[in-house]
Amino acid sequence: MKTVFEKMEFCAANASRQEEAAFTQTLALLADENWRVRYAAAVALGDRRDPRAVDALVQALRHENEAPLFEQPKLPGSCPAGCNIPFEVIFPEGTTEPTKEAWRRRGRVIQAAFLALGSIGTAAPGVLELLHRYATDQSRDYGVRAAACKALGQIAAPESLAVLEKAAGDEETCTKWEAKKGLKAIRG
Amino acid sequence: MKKPFYIDDLEALREKLSRAERNETLMGQVWGSVLRRARNAPEHFPWFTPFAALVTGGQKEIEHAKDAIRGYIATLDPQGFGMGLQFHFWCLAFPHARWSLYFQWLAAIGAWDAGEEQHIREELLIFQYVNFFMGMRTKPEPECVDNQTMSLCFSNALLGHLFSESALARRMKEDGMRRLPSMIGGLPASGYSGEGSTYMDGVVGPSIPFIVELLERATGGDWFNKSLPPHGGSAENVCRMVAREWMPNGLLLPWDHYGYSIPTHSCVAYAARRMSDPFYSELLERHANWASAQGIGWGFDDLVWALIWWPETQPQSRAAFASWNEPEVGAALVSDDAQLYAMQMWDRSEPVFPTRSHVNPNALVLAAYGSPLTVDGIPSEACAAFKYEDTWREVAFMDLGETRKFNFGSGCAGSHSVILVDRWEGMRAFGEYRQADQLEFSASEKSAAADVTPIYREKFDDARCVRRRIRLCHERFWLIEDLVRFDREHQITARFFLRPRPVETARGVAIETAEGVRLWLFPLLGPDEKTVTLVKGYPDRLDGEAGESLQVDFTQRGAECRWLWLAWPEATRKIREEVSGHWQTAPDPESRFSFEQALEELTAAGIDIPLTMPPYLQRDLPIVRRWWFRRSITVPAGVASWLRLPKDMLNLRLWIHGEELDISPHRLRMKLLEPEIALPSKWSGQTIEVTLCCDTGYSQYAADGNQSNGFYGKPALLVEQPAPGVEQAEYRKNIVTVRSGGKEWSVTHSLMEESR
């Protein structure tokens, strides 16, 4: 298992297997240097629904939180959707490769980790705090806010009511719908 | 070796196209035009190259296709920094699915070496997983049913199916396939998604064949005809609605967002394959604009899929445009000769922010003799109208680090041909409820009516009845009736958006379009108190420099307000002679010929061709942007004359005997309609030499505006014809009487009442 693709394949292939070694390996891949692998690992851990993955997911989220994910300015260089004409993006001077990787992934790993936490459904320490913070943070992408709301609905902890009520007024539809579903799940 | 997906029998497809080419059928001509573009300008027509490679099996064509796919792969990483991938990922998901499909086609015919095949497959899968699998999981299930979610679910299901040896692919397939049926079933049973003709025709409709054929191959059974949960939508109904959005004048209905546009082909071709109704083949064979190769689902392969689905066997009978009715959304009344067309809409609008699903309760679309008479759609960016105080919105989720403030007033009632109450132009729904009910439809009587009271009652709790009925009478004119009843007095406005230009009239309002079609609109019952305002920039197409229309407001005050309108259309021109054949033509590869040089080239080139579509679509000629044409035409003596030219001739210039005419007034309009250029009277009775120069779409990603759409139409010489107008019209004792040109029509008309 050397390439990024092979590692991602491993995560997906072993998501539903109950072998301990596969679980341990997937947890390790959640800390892989390549975010695509981390994304695949988070999806797989959500599919596996093993509560033992919660700490690692929270740790992965904290790691993500330290990256400049949402600080990308609008960059010159683009092409229409589906276009096959190669083009270059002009980066500000001094943009490092880790920063580029952060910009490439924006909220993807966070979304996968949130959905995994929701799927596992455990209100472990730290989990609600993170989800509450992201659910209404307008500086995050709506894919992240919506995933936080969805996870809160799946965990269905009463202390999330206030956050979900606020998120239910989000201008963006996906977030609003997930928040409304979350409220319904908690209120019954 | 795997089969190229969706192509069950490659040899049969090859034979179908080969036969069509040999027999010089329309299908054969379209195939020829696609193949020529793929062969002669593969860098400009990348979306045609995989199909050309698959059908011909030629090494050159295969290399072109491989290069196209390699080019696409090279865009993936830089796309990661664009707001398109971050915020509008569905727009990239659908084309990604098709590039992946085309990669599979080439793999199926052994085009790749093992190393490159593995590399590209992995690139495609990783990009799909971290972007579009992510995107699909962003969309709430089962609530999200729209073109965006459809694109995402389809792309995941397709890649999952194509590359099922991969665990990532199987994971995507699991979720994509689970959600895919509800993308069809979640559409309304009418088949109308509510997003407007443009999205129906450009995204929802063309998605249907891909989805149905994938579901049928992956799970078996018939996924075309059956109604699916949760809302009973079916693929069949979507295809039917897509075809119904075609107007007899070759345009799509300006329904909800965007406005009039040119139809695509592939969904109708698929409908012709799956349904026995000969209307679909009729559209393909006699009404489609085959020089148009515009995008479907954010890619330029509409013609490819039209050729794949287009049935070789023609129906035994022909089918005319006919009236239609969809009780939940609207109805159209079409004259037997398809010259008069009216559509009344009462489809649901989106509460609170009616972005694409506009507020158009009982709005009307009228067209006559090929000319649109009413307008609808969206304003140009510079348009100052419709910025109502209560329709501003600011959002932060559409762009990188920026908020967007915009006014959605153009989606509200005030920008539509509807009834307004107390001048509330930003009228819209705020809650979910049934907004309208159809009252009547008769295909034989050619009448339709709907009650739209609920959307008024939400704001005005004394609203008892807001209804409109339209009738096509004697195959000659329309009657439009409005009934508005409240418990208290209100100011009621019947608003119409008509095309310019106004014509002087003693009653109501009258217009004459640039195509010489007149419309008189005046009340036979109800006050004729009105204002007429020129709205610059609305819609963003057709007339004027940047679009314009006439906003006509008839007003009255009362608790009960009625109007009965006569809408009388009249053509003031007729075709004297078709002049589409025998045009000398010459390509201008560098776009820099002077008029004199062009004349020399026209003589030297010796090419004689019909002026119906770009020459390179007709024959093996260079694929260049600029072309010159020349032909002699005899102008009739003693009558006003016009030269009708194909639509979409970009940057058209026209000379008569070397004297240039000003074409600029036609510039915007001719994107959609064939321009009719007045011939100066000094040429009356003479044979004139007409020289034309125009640009045409020559590249799917050309930056100069027209992408790959070519000009299209049949040049003709038109002359004036008598148009007497309405000499007398009245409504008395339940009878409408109209006199024009010495003829009289009468029709019984009982007024609508509050009870059904």
Side-chain angles (χ1 to χ4, degrees):
Chain A
M1 193 166 58
K2 289 177 184 169
T3 68
V4 168
F5 184 76
E6 285 169 348
K7 291 176 184 175
M8 294 174 76
E9 277 287 296
F10 177 87
C11 294
N14 290 283
S16 55
R17 288 195 193 143
Q18 292 308 310
E19 290 126 25
E20 197 60 20
F23 176 62
T24 309
Q25 184 71 36
T26 307
L27 279 182
L29 291 173
L30 188 62
D32 193 89
E33 62 180 2
N34 190 297
W35 64 268
R36 295 161 192 83
V37 177
R38 299 203 295 276
Y39 176 82
V43 172
L45 291 169
D47 288 349
R48 191 183 178 102
R49 296 182 183 176
D50 189 329
R52 291 176 297 160
V54 169
D55 286 347
L57 286 164
V58 170
Q59 199 172 335
L61 283 165
R62 292 200 169 118
H63 176 71
E64 283 299 288
N65 216 13
E66 289 163 10
L69 300 177
F70 303 102
E71 293 173 9
Q72 183 199 320
K74 213 174 217 178
L75 301 173
S78 67
C79 75
C83 182
N84 75 329
I85 302 168
F87 66 101
E88 276 187 33
V89 176
I90 313 296
F91 295 96
E93 207 176 310
T95 307
T96 63
E97 198 49 45
T99 299
K100 288 182 191 172
E101 278 291 80
W103 290 351
R104 283 185 184 101
R105 71 180 184 273
R106 286 184 73 91
R108 285 161 176 71
V109 177
I110 298 177
Q111 189 208 61
F114 281 173
L115 294 177
L117 288 169
S119 183
I120 294 166
T122 307
V127 170
L128 287 183
E129 180 219 335
L130 272 168
L131 293 172
H132 286 175
R133 193 192 322 156
Y134 278 80
T136 56
D137 184 348
Q138 294 295 319
S139 67
R140 310 297 178 183
D141 291 350
Y142 66 86
V144 168
R145 300 203 301 277
C149 292
K150 181 173 182 178
L152 288 172
Q154 288 171 310
I155 295 168
E159 52 266 51
S160 300
L161 273 173
V163 168
L164 287 172
E165 275 168 2
K166 188 177 175 194
D170 199 297
E171 286 256 301
E172 193 281 317
T173 312
C174 298
T175 309
K176 186 164 53 185
W177 276 344
E178 293 293 9
K180 285 183 175 176
K181 281 160 64 177
L183 287 170
K184 202 172 168 188
I186 296 171
R187 288 171 178 152
Chain B
M1 187 178 73
K2 278 186 173 179
K3 282 183 183 174
F5 193 65
Y6 287 123
I7 312 295
D8 293 328
D9 187 339
L10 180 56
E11 280 314 308
L13 174 65
R14 287 171 170 166
E15 282 167 23
K16 177 180 91 168
L17 296 174
S18 174
R19 254 193 313 276
E21 204 170 13
R22 273 198 313 276
N23 297 337
E24 297 182 350
T25 64
L26 180 59
M27 186 197 297
Q29 292 165 31
V30 175
W31 161 234
S33 79
V34 167
L35 182 58
R36 271 192 298 279
R37 280 176 277 186
R39 273 184 175 155
N40 299 339
E43 69 283 11
H44 289 305
F45 294 92
W47 285 88
F48 293 167
T49 58
F51 185 61
L54 189 68
V55 174
T56 66
Q59 200 52 44
K60 199 173 96 178
E61 287 78 10
I62 289 172
E63 287 307 317
H64 291 328
K66 287 165 71 176
D67 283 344
I69 290 168
R70 289 175 185 130
Y72 175 69
I73 295 294
T75 68
L76 297 183
D77 185 57
Q79 289 281 21
F81 300 99
M83 72 166 191
L85 187 66
Q86 301 299 354
F87 298 99
H88 310 269
F89 32 81
W90 53 90
C91 305
L92 287 86
F94 202 173
H96 186 75
R98 275 127 71 204
W99 281 119
S100 302
L101 172 68
Y102 298 145
F103 161 77
Q104 190 270 349
W105 281 6
L106 295 188
I109 58 172
W112 306 103
D113 67 52
E116 188 171 20
E117 185 176 332
Q118 182 183 340
H119 166 72
I120 293 177
R121 186 172 57 243
E122 290 181 3
E123 291 280 315
L124 292 167
L125 278 168
I126 291 174
F127 195 76
Q128 174 76 26
Y129 201 65
V130 301
N131 293 298
F132 310 130
F133 183 61
M134 182 279 300
M136 179 174 65
R137 282 154 56 101
T138 298
K139 297 287 184 180
E141 182 182 3
E143 292 82 1
C144 260
V145 178
D146 52 28
N147 74 77
Q148 301 172 3
T149 316
M150 183 182 269
S151 160
L152 292 160
C153 293
F154 166 69
S155 67
N156 282 287
L158 180 68
L159 267 86
H161 191 75
L162 290 177
F163 308 119
S164 56
E165 68 281 4
S166 152
L168 287 176
R170 290 194 298 275
R171 180 66 186 84
M172 293 189 277
K173 183 179 178 181
E174 183 187 328
D175 283 10
M177 288 296 268
R178 183 185 67 247
R179 296 181 70 169
L180 209 43
S182 68
M183 292 300 112
I184 297 174
L187 288 163
S190 66
Y192 182 60
S193 75
E195 295 167 288
S197 302
T198 311
Y199 263 85
M200 277 294 291
D201 192 69
V203 182
V204 179
S207 306
I208 290 296
F210 289 112
I211 294 171
V212 168
E213 296 286 324
L214 173 59
L215 286 168
E216 291 183 349
R217 282 164 174 76
T219 67
D222 170 10
W223 287 89
F224 183 73
N225 295 295
K226 62 182 171 188
S227 294
L228 297 166
H231 298 143
S234 76
E236 179 183 15
N237 289 352
V238 173
C239 291
R240 184 178 296 114
M241 182 53 77
V242 165
R244 283 174 167 174
E245 288 170 355
W246 289 49
M247 297 170 67
N249 58 16
L251 300 177
L252 289 174
L253 279 168
W255 199 350
D256 286 308
H257 214 54
Y258 290 117
Y260 291 110
S261 54
I262 304 288
T264 63
H265 311 84
S266 53
C267 180
V268 170
Y270 188 64
R273 180 191 180 97
R274 296 294 299 248
M275 291 193 263
S276 57
D277 186 340
F279 183 58
Y280 305 107
S281 288
E282 181 79 10
L283 290 179
L284 294 175
E285 298 284 344
R286 291 177 187 84
H287 298 279
N289 173 348
W290 289 105
S292 169
Q294 58 191 314
I296 54 166
W298 305 282
F300 291 96
D301 48 357
D302 178 45
L303 295 185
V304 166
W305 292 98
L307 286 166
I308 290 170
W309 307 130
W310 199 339
E312 195 174 14
T313 310
Q314 293 298 307
Q316 296 297 309
S317 58
R318 289 191 54 183
F321 275 91
S323 301
W324 58 262
N325 179 48
E326 275 298 338
E328 296 295 315
V329 296
L333 307 176
V334 187
S335 65
D336 293 345
D337 62 2
Q339 293 294 322
L340 303 187
Y341 180 94
M343 191 258 178
Q344 184 170 323
M345 58 188 77
W346 52 84
D347 55 300
R348 170 191 175 274
S349 61
E350 186 67 30
V352 188
F353 303 122
T355 311
R356 287 214 185 99
S357 298
H358 288 191
V359 185
N360 45 26
N362 277 336
L364 291 172
V365 177
L366 300 177
Y369 311 110
S371 186
L373 301 171
T374 58
V375 293
D376 198 341
I378 55 170
S380 66
E381 281 190 14
C383 179
F386 316 132
K387 293 186 173 17
Y388 311 127
E389 278 183 16
D390 61 342
T391 53
W392 285 98
R393 187 183 186 196
E394 189 166 2
V395 296
F397 56 82
M398 300 287 280
D399 211 343
L400 281 167
E402 289 177 8
T403 57
R404 287 190 198 183
K405 189 175 182 185
F406 61 96
N407 195 304
F408 57 88
S410 63
C412 297
S415 69
H416 295 86
S417 298
V418 302
I419 295 289
L420 299 174
V421 180
D422 295 339
R423 304 224 31 109
W424 184 32
E425 295 175 298
M427 181 183 120
R428 59 198 180 276
F430 288 91
E432 276 294 355
Y433 50 86
R434 189 175 175 81
Q435 296 176 5
D437 275 301
Q438 179 168 43
L439 298 172
E440 171 195 331
F441 174 76
S442 167
S444 56
E445 297 291 321
K446 296 193 176 169
S447 68
D451 180 288
V452 292
T453 312
I455 196 166
Y456 292 87
R457 190 180 291 137
E458 188 185 19
K459 163 95 171 180
F460 304 99
D461 60 6
D462 61 329
R464 285 168 52 189
C465 178
V466 182
R467 292 176 176 187
R468 173 170 281 175
R469 173 158 60 147
I470 185 160
R471 300 176 63 193
L472 173 61
C473 304
H474 294 291
E475 299 285 304
R476 182 62 194 87
F477 59 89
W478 298 289
L479 290 177
I480 303 162
E481 184 189 350
D482 283 313
L483 168 60
V484 180
R485 198 172 275 161
F486 285 74
D487 288 334
R488 298 182 289 276
E489 271 196 2
H490 292 274
Q491 186 192 46
I492 303 300
T493 303
R495 175 166 289 182
F496 296 91
F497 284 95
L498 305 176
R499 287 183 65 198
R501 64 186 169 86
V503 173
E504 202 171 309
T505 178
R507 297 173 73 179
V509 62
I511 58 161
E512 181 175 323
T513 68
E515 300 77 54
V517 177
R518 290 184 189 155
L519 175 73
W520 280 265
L521 178 70
F522 56 83
L524 301 171
L525 178 72
D528 192 2
E529 189 179 315
K530 64 196 170 287
T531 59
V532 179
T533 312
L534 180 68
V535 183
K536 290 271 188 187
Y538 180 73
D540 65 345
R541 52 201 74 188
L542 284 181
D543 299 296
E545 283 182 18
E548 63 186 34
S549 57
L550 299 173
Q551 177 185 303
V552 184
D553 285 355
F554 291 87
T555 54
Q556 57 178 303
R557 187 166 183 85
E560 177 178 307
C561 299
R562 285 183 184 272
W563 277 285
L564 176 62
W565 315 89
L566 172 67
W568 177 270
E570 206 163 49
T572 67
R573 300 170 197 166
K574 64 181 178 185
I575 292 177
R576 167 67 67 91
E577 180 191 1
E578 278 201 11
V579 291
S580 55
H582 304 299
W583 289 76
Q584 286 183 310
T585 189
D588 184 351
E590 306 296 326
S591 303
R592 64 181 183 198
F593 288 166
S594 65
F595 179 75
E596 290 73 22
Q597 276 178 298
L599 293 187
E600 288 172 20
E601 291 291 332
L602 282 163
T603 305
I607 308 168
D608 177 315
I609 207 159
L611 183 63
T612 51
M613 58 167 65
Y616 63 79
L617 297 185
Q618 304 181 52
R619 284 196 220 161
D620 214 357
L621 290 164
I623 296 173
V624 300
R625 184 178 65 180
R626 182 158 298 171
W627 290 84
W628 291 78
F629 304 91
R630 179 173 59 186
R631 193 198 131 133
S632 293
I633 290 169
T634 301
V635 182
V639 286
S641 307
W642 293 263
L643 178 60
R644 178 187 284 171
L645 291 173
K647 63 180 77 173
D648 220 2
M649 298 184 93
L650 289 177
N651 304 319
L652 175 67
R653 296 178 70 185
L654 184 153
W655 293 261
I656 295 177
H657 288 315
E659 184 182 316
E660 187 165 6
L661 269 57
D662 178 16
I663 303 299
S664 59
H666 300 275
R667 186 188 58 82
L668 184 65
R669 187 168 44 245
M670 65 185 296
K671 288 289 291 177
L672 294 169
L673 297 171
E674 294 166 272
E676 295 179 6
I677 295 155
L679 297 173
S681 56
K682 66 180 178 183
W683 305 118
S684 180
Q686 298 187 40
T687 297
I688 56 173
E689 184 181 89
V690 178
T691 307
L692 307 172
C693 166
C694 79
D695 293 343
T696 188
Y698 68 100
S699 174
Q700 289 169 336
Y701 291 107
D704 57 0
N706 207 34
Q707 296 177 330
S708 54
N709 293 330
F711 60 80
Y712 196 72
K714 276 189 180 166
L717 197 60
L718 294 96
V719 294
E720 64 186 337
Q721 69 171 8
V726 180
E727 289 150 3
Q728 195 268 333
E730 63 176 6
Y731 178 63
R732 287 183 63 192
K733 296 179 180 174
N734 283 359
I735 293 176
V736 171
T737 309
V738 183
R739 201 160 57 230
S740 172
K743 290 184 188 169
E744 187 170 290
W745 294 263
S746 63
V747 58
T748 302
H749 185 86
S750 302
L751 295 176
M752 288 189 292
E753 283 307 325
E754 192 175 328
S755 57
R756 291 178 82 120

